[in-house]
Amino acid sequence: MGKIISIANQKGGVGKTTTSINLAASLAAMERKTLLVDADPQANSTSGLGISKKDIKKTIYECMTDESLIIDDILKTDIDFLELLPSGIDLVGAEVEMVDLENRDNRMKKCLSKIRDEYDFIIIDCSPSLGIVTVNSLVASDSVIIPVQCEYFALEGLGKLLETIRLIQSKLNKELTIEGILMSMYDVRLRLSNQVVEEVQTHFKSLVFDTIIPRNVKLSEAPSFGIPAISYDANCKGSLSYLNLAKELVDKNESIKVSW
């Protein structure tokens, strides 16, 4: 049964989509069958994997509003072991349309439960908000990765997200855990970056991933070509960092399975 992990932070510009695409691609490179779920109406994970609108029949929108998803609706990508459940602009309306739906917070969980046995990992790219769609993502997930940028105001909004996670744990998904806090956009030349890393590590200790994602030109350029960084330049610092993160994630979860 695949592990479902949300990449979430309601603060924009922290690297959620970059992490979602590149972590999913790195897990696939390790031959773990991976599904990337684009749960952001901006659909950047969809375009970042080179998926054209004309190739899309169903999106996460249909999955949540009429629960009609079947495995045949999942899109193949050009990367072995990596598939995509795309997003689209229709998802903007889901926040309003789902208000009166029965069992509205569990729609994505019900949808993904039909297919999770097909994958080792399911990665959900959440939107930069704490609305119904993001709540659905967290309810559907086993754990959450929180990207935090190594910049001023890094911890801004993190308290609100942790409060939301605690609320979901108490009311909707008691099994939800924090997989880890991921430091991103790290610039070794800046004293501020080092100070932020130290501050987060001091506050959250073992919750912080050992891997730190650097600022990297190749990471920024790759989406414009519709490919993850590992396909654009496998040897750049960004690609190697996400491969390290994937290894850290796999090692952690496979050691837990062994302990069972």
Side-chain angles (χ1 to χ4, degrees):
M1 183 167 66
K3 182 164 191 179
I4 303 178
I5 303 173
S6 279
I7 313 295
N9 190 329
Q10 82 276 17
K11 192 173 188 298
V14 299
K16 285 189 301 298
T17 297
T18 298
T19 294
S20 299
I21 291 173
N22 290 289
L23 175 57
S26 296
L27 289 168
M30 296 175 67
E31 298 189 353
R32 269 56 178 192
K33 191 172 181 185
T34 304
L35 173 67
L36 177 56
V37 177
D38 191 347
D40 186 344
Q42 297 177 82
N44 289 334
S45 280
T46 301
S47 61
L49 285 177
I51 301 299
S52 169
K53 289 182 180 179
K54 62 182 174 58
D55 297 325
I56 299 173
K57 296 178 181 177
K58 289 187 179 179
T59 69
I60 188 67
Y61 170 80
E62 282 81 16
C63 169
M64 295 179 64
T65 55
D66 65 20
E67 300 177 343
S68 63
L69 180 76
I70 57 173
I71 195 68
D72 291 341
D73 296 322
I74 304 296
L75 298 179
K76 304 287 185 184
T77 72
D78 292 333
I79 301 167
D80 291 340
F81 297 98
L82 179 60
E83 297 178 351
L84 173 74
L85 177 53
S87 181
I89 194 64
D90 286 348
L91 194 60
V92 171
E95 296 284 339
V96 175
E97 294 173 37
M98 291 177 63
V99 167
D100 296 322
L101 286 181
E102 183 180 354
N103 208 17
R104 70 179 188 187
D105 295 325
N106 288 279
R107 310 282 290 193
M108 191 184 297
K109 180 177 182 178
K110 185 174 180 181
C111 192
L112 295 182
S113 66
K114 302 173 184 177
I115 58 172
R116 68 181 297 170
D117 288 346
E118 303 291 326
Y119 300 94
D120 297 307
F121 289 95
I122 297 176
I123 305 296
I124 305 176
D125 180 17
C126 296
S127 63
S129 72
L130 293 177
I132 292 176
V133 177
T134 298
V135 169
N136 262 266
S137 300
L138 295 173
V139 171
S141 296
D142 300 302
S143 64
V144 55
I145 291 175
I146 305 170
V148 174
Q149 80 276 42
C150 300
E151 296 178 354
Y152 197 60
F153 294 135
L155 301 182
E156 185 182 77
L158 188 54
K160 181 64 177 176
L161 177 61
L162 294 174
E163 181 183 319
T164 300
I165 290 172
R166 284 192 291 269
L167 184 63
I168 288 173
Q169 286 170 329
S170 64
K171 303 287 186 182
L172 299 168
N173 182 4
K174 294 179 180 178
E175 307 302 318
L176 181 66
T177 63
I178 296 176
E179 190 74 39
I181 294 172
L182 176 66
M183 304 307 302
S184 65
M185 302 181 183
Y186 176 76
D187 190 335
V188 68
R189 300 167 298 176
L190 299 181
R191 181 186 301 175
L192 177 62
S193 285
N194 293 299
Q195 289 174 338
V196 171
V197 170
E198 289 175 10
E199 183 178 2
V200 173
Q201 288 174 337
T202 299
H203 275 84
F204 297 101
K205 300 181 172 62
S206 61
L207 278 180
V208 184
F209 282 106
D210 293 333
T211 302
I212 297 175
I213 308 300
R215 283 194 176 276
N216 182 251
V217 173
K218 302 293 186 180
L219 280 178
S220 301
E221 291 177 347
S224 65
F225 293 92
I227 53 177
I230 195 172
S231 299
Y232 184 57
D233 184 347
N235 295 312
C236 73
K237 289 183 179 179
S239 296
L240 295 175
S241 296
Y242 277 111
L243 283 168
N244 286 336
L245 177 63
K247 185 177 186 304
E248 193 175 343
L249 186 65
V250 167
D251 287 348
K252 174 184 175 182
N253 284 281
E254 293 191 349
S255 67
I256 290 172
K257 287 182 180 180
V258 169
S259 69
W260 290 345

